[in-house]
Amino acid sequence: MNRLKRSIYVLSLLSIAFLSVQCKSEKKKEVEVVPEKINLVTISKEAYGTTSDSIAVDKYTLKNEKGMEIDIITYGGIITKWTAPDKNNNYQDIVLGYNTLAEYEKATPYFGALIGRYGNRIAKGKFSIDGVKYTLNANDGPNHLHGGVKGFDKVVWTAAETSTDSTASIILTYLSKDLEEGYPGNLKTIVTYTLTNDNELLVDYKATTDKKTIVNLTQHSYFNLSGDFSKPILDHEIAINADKFVPVDATLIPTGELKDVTNTPFDFRIAKTIGKEIGVKDEQLTRGLGYDHCWVLNNQNEGVRLTASAYEKESGRLLEIFSDEPGIQLYTGNFLDDTLQNKQGGTYAHRTGFCLETQHYPDSPNQKDFPSTVLSPGQTYNSKTTFKFSVK
């Protein structure tokens, strides 16, 4: 009996212990709280207007936790606003543009736009693929520039959005039909803008075609890192990681030479202000009315790498550009002439904005020694560029 009682007693203790553990476990489950997911980078959408041919245009706003805001419209994939911090952590808009859709439609030197099918110039708007000759629309004197009369900067893109806890993206898609502006092939292009919480904008370009064609996409934002668009950008310090540049003829078409920058105004391997040598006597500067040239970037086999930077001393804003492209075009707003409305009031004066456009070289389809821009069926064009802001 004693042995039986002892066994019953032990079993009772074990049962109590089990029930106690079970109750504690159940209590723990009852109070367990799943933390709410917080997106550090957000995306919102609103109507922006209607084009002159009655197509609705939307505006997407990407915003991160630090305070950077980027407004992108579906017309031309244009970046209409982009705020960046100064050394006192004050965020200001640092890209030129307009306040209304009508202004972008009426007259714009590609402010903030996506450029395609071919960024930069093609001589006389002509090129050949496999012996077949193609003629593009001439919209820059005798030459073809930035995709033609109605390039990617003037079409309405289809948009989708996606986000994670640390990024927000707008995905823009456009189908350019066979022989649009003279280009062969139905070209499907997807451009993804992604804002991170590190004040970076990633631009990812993809394109496919059903017929051999040429592709050279870029982004054409005009920057003024002072945040004051009435000020010229001549005091901005530019650095470009390039030992050579692409000289041009009188119509800004490459001569075919890749020229060493040493002892020329085109040497930006060590940072210097835009204004330091822009006014010196130089045939290339005369032809471009300043800097409007493509640089042959170093380390082309390394993929995405630091290609160029811009710094404005008073604000402390530093822009660094990373890309896998072989070239970058520096344009110093030489054709701004007080005729276009400034979104801050007044007009855009000479050299109040600069562009750093990652791309292949101008007129590559007609230059056998330049990297090829031909895209064939079954291939995917893919290019990446990152714009990173910080202060120093």
Side-chain angles (χ1 to χ4, degrees):
M1 288 293 292
N2 290 338
R3 188 175 296 171
L4 180 60
K5 286 181 179 179
R6 192 179 298 114
S7 298
I8 292 171
Y9 178 74
V10 170
L11 285 171
S12 298
L13 290 175
L14 288 171
S15 297
I16 292 168
F18 173 77
L19 288 170
S20 175
V21 170
Q22 190 177 34
C23 289
K24 286 180 180 177
S25 177
E26 287 174 356
K27 278 185 178 179
K28 187 176 181 180
K29 285 181 181 178
E30 288 174 4
V31 297
E32 188 175 345
V33 177
V34 178
E36 183 182 351
K37 183 180 177 181
I38 300 175
N39 288 336
L40 302 178
V41 189
T42 62
I43 183 167
S44 60
K45 171 187 172 183
E46 63 182 83
Y48 189 73
T50 305
T51 65
S52 56
D53 49 356
S54 303
I55 301 175
V57 173
D58 292 321
K59 180 180 78 173
Y60 288 80
T61 299
L62 310 178
K63 185 175 182 179
N64 70 14
E65 186 183 41
K66 294 183 177 178
M68 178 168 282
E69 275 188 57
I70 303 176
D71 289 348
I72 301 163
I73 59 174
T74 51
Y75 178 82
I78 293 171
I79 296 174
T80 63
K81 175 185 174 183
W82 191 343
T83 69
D86 66 8
K87 57 191 175 185
N88 298 314
N89 204 37
N90 296 316
Y91 279 75
Q92 286 177 286
D93 191 4
I94 45 79
V95 291
L96 278 58
Y98 296 123
N99 291 316
T100 67
L101 177 59
E103 290 173 297
Y104 283 109
E105 283 194 281
K106 183 180 178 182
T108 177
Y110 307 98
F111 283 147
L114 292 177
I115 303 298
R117 290 188 190 189
Y118 197 94
N120 222 309
R121 294 172 175 86
I122 295 177
K124 297 179 173 58
K126 298 181 184 297
F127 69 97
S128 298
I129 298 179
D130 296 337
V132 180
K133 295 180 180 179
Y134 295 96
T135 299
L136 309 175
N137 288 325
N139 62 321
D140 184 53
N143 304 318
H144 177 86
L145 173 66
H146 290 338
V149 175
K150 189 175 181 181
F152 287 2
D153 61 298
K154 298 180 183 69
V155 300
V156 178
W157 295 64
T158 300
E161 57 184 91
T162 184
S163 62
T164 69
D165 59 349
S166 59
T167 66
S169 303
I170 174 175
I171 304 162
L172 299 173
T173 304
Y174 178 67
L175 177 62
S176 176
K177 294 183 179 179
D178 185 32
L179 296 182
E180 182 174 299
E181 291 295 312
Y183 291 96
N186 293 294
L187 186 79
K188 182 180 180 181
T189 302
I190 301 174
V191 179
T192 304
Y193 287 113
T194 300
L195 177 63
T196 76
N197 212 35
D198 295 321
N199 283 348
E200 297 171 318
L201 180 68
L202 287 57
V203 188
D204 183 88
Y205 307 88
K206 286 184 172 63
T208 55
T209 183
D210 61 1
K211 186 188 296 185
K212 268 193 178 182
T213 191
I214 57 172
V215 186
N216 185 28
L217 306 178
T218 191
Q219 217 293 326
H220 208 292
S221 284
Y222 285 67
F223 296 99
N224 186 323
L225 302 184
S226 74
D228 182 347
F229 303 151
S230 68
K231 291 183 177 179
I233 42 78
L234 297 177
D235 63 344
H236 285 56
E237 294 179 13
I238 301 290
I240 302 175
N241 184 20
D243 296 331
K244 297 179 180 180
F245 77 105
V246 183
V248 293
D249 65 17
T251 66
L252 303 183
I253 293 295
T255 62
E257 178 188 9
L258 302 180
K259 186 175 181 179
D260 193 323
V261 299
T262 304
N263 297 322
T264 76
F266 294 84
D267 190 350
F268 284 90
R269 290 173 295 186
I270 297 175
K272 67 181 179 184
T273 62
I274 291 172
K276 183 175 181 179
E277 294 177 291
I278 200 170
V280 303
K281 187 176 181 180
D282 179 272
E283 183 179 57
Q284 286 298 308
L285 289 175
T286 300
R287 288 175 175 176
L289 301 181
Y291 294 109
D292 191 4
H293 296 76
C294 188
W295 273 254
V296 179
L297 293 169
N298 296 336
N299 308 316
Q300 294 185 10
N301 61 344
E302 293 183 6
V304 177
R305 73 280 188 207
L306 179 63
T307 60
S309 65
Y311 172 64
E312 203 273 321
K313 187 175 181 180
E314 186 174 340
S315 68
R317 290 187 179 96
L318 173 67
L319 167 62
E320 295 173 295
I321 300 176
F322 302 80
S323 183
D324 55 7
E325 285 287 340
I328 193 167
Q329 183 93 0
L330 170 62
Y331 171 58
T332 49
N334 310 314
F335 294 98
L336 297 176
D337 59 0
D338 277 317
T339 59
L340 302 177
Q341 187 67 39
N342 185 332
K343 63 182 173 180
Q344 294 177 340
T347 54
Y348 288 115
H350 190 50
R351 294 178 180 156
T352 49
F354 70 91
C355 305
L356 283 167
E357 310 155 48
T358 55
Q359 57 185 247
H360 273 59
Y361 314 151
D363 200 37
S364 289
N366 297 311
Q367 304 279 349
K368 62 182 178 61
D369 294 329
F370 288 5
S372 175
T373 55
V374 173
L375 180 68
S376 299
Q379 296 179 331
T380 299
Y381 171 97
N382 195 353
S383 176
K384 299 178 186 295
T385 293
T386 296
F387 299 88
K388 181 177 177 58
F389 280 93
S390 59
V391 295
K392 72 172 186 176

